[in-house]
Structures are given as structure tokens and as C-alpha cells.
Amino acid sequence: MIAIMVMILCLNAMTKPVYAFKLVMLGEYAVGKTSLVKRYLYDSFSPEYYPTLNVNISEKLLRFSKCDVRLVIWDVAGQEGFEGVRRSYFKNADVAVLVYDVSRPETLKSLDDWYASLEDVAGYVPAVVAGNKVDLEERLVDREEGEGYAKIRGFDYVETSAKTNLNVKELFTRALKSAILNRLRAVKVSRWKP
Amino acid sequence: MTSARLKLVEKAIIDAVEKCIRMGWDAAYNVSIEGESGIPHKFLMVVWPSKGGKPDVVVDIIEEEAGVSEDDVLRFVVKCVDVDARYKILVASPHLSWRAKLLLMGHDTKIIELCRNNLSDISLEIFEAAKEVCGGEGSRVDNLVSVLEELRELT
């Protein structure tokens, strides 16, 4: 009996559709984009800073009852000098995670430029703003400011710490939710096309 | 076909592959599939609704300066029969002879002639065909709504 159930479960897993979503991580250098991705994918954290070269692509397969979801994460370099190639990575993005460092106010201000470059290439893309490094004592951007920034632009907001693993899973879950909702909206619109 | 034009066709096909993958279907560019005869057949693009199994959409291109004839398309028709493809798309460069069109219509094949269609049509046509045969939007909506419900329970 158990063997049959296992077989049914295996068959179900084999035939389940897989939906892919492209998530782009955006924000200034050293705000913790790569650390958030590493914490989410591997539950690890390194205090040393290794700048990302160009882009790191990784993915996580999330299993659900009716289908599976492949979350493809594009961790884009925050340094200057990559602008030209960087824009090509934004194509077909489903959702963006806009990361800033709560101890560097200028990193919150720069998010508008990051989102504008994304919108230029991919059109409207839902986004989640992440106020990262909330474990630091020298916090200079308070929660209200970050939340207000996100609210005005219609984005979701999460306070995170890759170091202490605060809200990291929550951040990616909310991003996935936004991506799914946006895709469902697109389906609804295309159905009513004459 | 000039190499620049060929590159544009390639780009359009790759764009269609990307679109299909984003929908959750298995799609690939430049694929070899073993037919029921055991002979491998090459296609420019293939879409499967789920992993493995028979292909749902196959796409190929034939180019012939003087126009693609019925003899030219026969090979494509036989390949499709052998792999038992549900939906066939043939990109002809620059155009098809009327006999070739007749032959393809009898085998339920979608025709894209490069002399009549824009390159952007290729990507769209393929994607629309895949949407039609790979379960359509209904099942996709239901599946994604169920993911949202499960995510809601998690958070």
C-alpha cells in the first residue's frame, strides 16, 4: 500500500507543471544583495565582502501541491561600470528585490535610479523593498522612512538581516507572491483582448 | 538567407523558448528527438507541456532561394509524423510554393513565411501555439492561485 502511495506521489511529482519566475536583486554595492541570496539558498553568511562580478544566477525549486515553482534569482553587480551589460539582465524580469543598507541613507535614495533602469527595459515590474542590515547599531534610516518610500511607489516593504536571518525567507516569499499576482493580472488582461 | 537575417530568426526563436520556459513549459532550441522509428530528428525548437513525453510543438525552418517546394517540406512532414508532434510550425524562407502549402495544410501545420511575416511574428506565433496546446491559461491560473494560497498559509 505504502509503495503504491509513494509511486503515485512520484508520478505526480514527475508530471507536475513547473512555472519559472525571474527575480532580479537590485541596489548599490555592498548593501547585502548577495548575502540575502546566500542566506535564502544555502542558509549561510560570510562577514567578508566579495563584490559580485557582473551577475550571479542561481535558482531554487519550490514544491507546491499542484505545481512547482522555479525561482531564478539574478544577483546583479552593484558597482559602477557594469551599466551597459546590466540592463540586458533585466529583460523578462517578473519581480525585483530593491535592497538598501539601513546604515547608508544614500543607498535608499539610489533605488529610484535602479528601478528606472529596470522599468526602461522590462516595463512595469512589481518590487519588494528590503531594508537590510537592521542588526547594525549605527542605523541611519528608520523603518518609517523605508516603509514610506515603498508605500508611495506601491511596493511591498520588509526589514531584513542576512547576518541574523531576519525575514530573509519572508522577503523572497513576498517577492514570489508579487510576481504571481502580476502574472495572474497579465493573464486576466490578455483574456479580455479583442 | 544572409547571416544577419539568420541571426534575427535565431533570436526570435530563442525569445519564444524563453517565453515558453517562463510559462512553466519545457522548451528547447536546436533539439534532436528520437522518432518512433528510432531515427533521431533535428528541430529548431521543441516545446513539451511537462518533462519528457511526446513533443507538443515542433518548429523548423526551411530556406530555398527560389521558394520552398513540396519536396522540401516532405522531410519536415515525415519528421513530425515520426515524433508524433501535436502542433507543427514551419518557418519558410522566403516563401512556399502553393503545392507545398497544400501539403502542409493537409498535415495541420502552421506556416510562417518570412517574406510575409515580421520576425517578431515568429516568436509570437510559436508562443500562441504553445499556449493553445500546453494546457492553456485556465490550468495555469488555477495552479498559480493554489500556490498563492499555500504561500499565504506559510506566512
Side-chain angles (χ1 to χ4, degrees):
Chain A
M1 186 66 180
I2 291 168
I4 292 168
M5 278 175 71
V6 169
M7 259 175 67
I8 291 168
L9 280 173
C10 287
L11 277 170
N12 184 36
M14 278 163 69
T15 54
K16 266 199 300 186
V18 184
Y19 299 97
F21 288 89
K22 177 175 174 178
L23 180 155
V24 284
M25 301 289 294
L26 304 178
E28 286 298 292
Y29 70 94
V31 292
K33 299 184 291 295
T34 306
S35 297
L36 285 167
V37 174
K38 281 190 176 163
R39 176 61 83 183
Y40 179 60
L41 295 177
Y42 316 112
D43 197 17
S44 68
F45 178 79
S46 161
E48 280 92 40
Y49 173 57
Y50 301 103
T52 303
L53 294 172
N54 256 353
V55 65
N56 287 333
I57 304 168
S58 41
E59 64 173 69
K60 189 172 178 107
L61 185 73
L62 302 156
R63 297 198 178 277
F64 296 95
S65 55
K66 284 191 181 173
C67 62
D68 293 337
V69 168
R70 200 160 57 206
L71 190 62
V72 186
I73 302 170
W74 290 57
D75 178 14
V76 180
Q79 277 84 4
E80 284 179 15
F82 292 105
E83 289 84 0
V85 274
R86 186 190 286 148
R87 288 169 66 87
S88 64
Y89 304 144
F90 297 161
K91 206 181 155 198
N92 291 333
D94 288 294
V95 63
V97 171
L98 301 169
V99 188
Y100 75 94
D101 176 348
V102 295
S103 67
R104 288 160 61 204
E106 72 279 9
T107 60
L108 174 64
K109 291 189 183 100
S110 72
L111 290 184
D112 276 343
D113 294 335
W114 281 95
Y115 189 78
S117 330
L118 169 70
E119 207 177 21
D120 235 23
V121 177
Y124 169 74
V125 175
V128 180
V129 176
N132 194 33
K133 304 192 187 182
V134 290
D135 56 280
L136 294 178
E137 279 174 18
E138 60 272 25
R139 180 174 182 154
L140 295 172
V141 183
D142 57 26
R143 189 187 175 102
E144 286 70 35
E145 198 178 335
E147 227 165 20
Y149 171 90
K151 201 176 172 185
I152 289 169
R153 287 154 186 84
F155 301 149
D156 212 344
Y157 179 78
V158 188
E159 299 234 302
T160 57
S161 165
K163 191 177 180 180
T164 63
N165 198 10
L166 177 78
N167 289 337
V168 176
K169 196 178 170 191
E170 171 81 14
L171 169 69
F172 287 95
T173 304
R174 285 206 200 179
L176 178 60
K177 271 190 199 169
S178 302
I180 293 174
L181 280 170
N182 195 48
R183 198 174 283 185
L184 288 173
R185 255 179 237 129
V187 170
K188 214 172 167 186
V189 169
S190 73
R191 273 184 176 175
W192 289 103
K193 259 187 196 170
Chain B
M1 204 187 301
T2 62
S3 63
R5 195 155 170 82
L6 189 68
K7 268 192 183 159
L8 287 173
V9 172
E10 243 178 60
K11 204 172 162 267
I13 301 280
I14 290 168
D15 189 46
V17 170
E18 275 180 12
K19 277 183 184 157
C20 291
I21 289 173
R22 286 185 57 209
M23 293 294 286
W25 307 318
D26 264 7
Y29 174 69
N30 259 345
V31 190
S32 177
I33 311 174
E34 202 177 273
E36 276 168 28
S37 62
I39 298 168
H41 302 292
K42 277 191 177 171
F43 290 95
L44 201 55
M45 176 182 169
V46 174
V47 184
W48 299 265
S50 54
K51 285 180 172 42
K54 286 175 185 171
D56 262 355
V57 182
V58 291
V59 185
D60 218 351
I61 185 164
I62 302 178
E63 44 181 326
E64 193 57 61
E65 255 184 48
V68 179
S69 71
E70 68 271 35
D71 290 341
D72 299 319
V73 299
L74 257 178
R75 192 169 169 264
F76 174 72
V77 171
V78 174
K79 281 196 309 186
C80 294
V81 170
D82 202 23
V83 300
D84 199 11
R86 279 176 67 193
Y87 202 102
K88 298 137 251 180
I89 298 172
L90 182 67
V91 181
S93 171
H95 60 87
L96 285 162
S97 72
W98 69 272
R99 278 173 174 273
K101 272 184 199 165
L102 213 61
L103 181 62
L104 289 172
M105 278 158 69
H107 286 273
D108 206 12
T109 303
K110 172 86 196 164
I111 300 162
I112 299 173
E113 287 177 294
L114 285 187
C115 64
R116 288 174 215 278
N117 299 82
N118 289 325
L119 285 168
S120 57
D121 288 348
I122 301 178
S123 164
L124 194 69
E125 288 280 3
I126 296 169
F127 179 62
E128 288 300 322
K131 208 154 81 175
E132 210 174 299
V133 292
C134 295
E137 287 166 350
S139 56
R140 181 163 59 105
V141 170
D142 294 345
N143 289 337
L144 290 178
V145 167
S146 83
V147 170
L148 275 180
E149 278 163 8
E150 283 178 55
L151 284 174
R152 220 165 271 149
E153 279 166 26
L154 280 174
T155 52

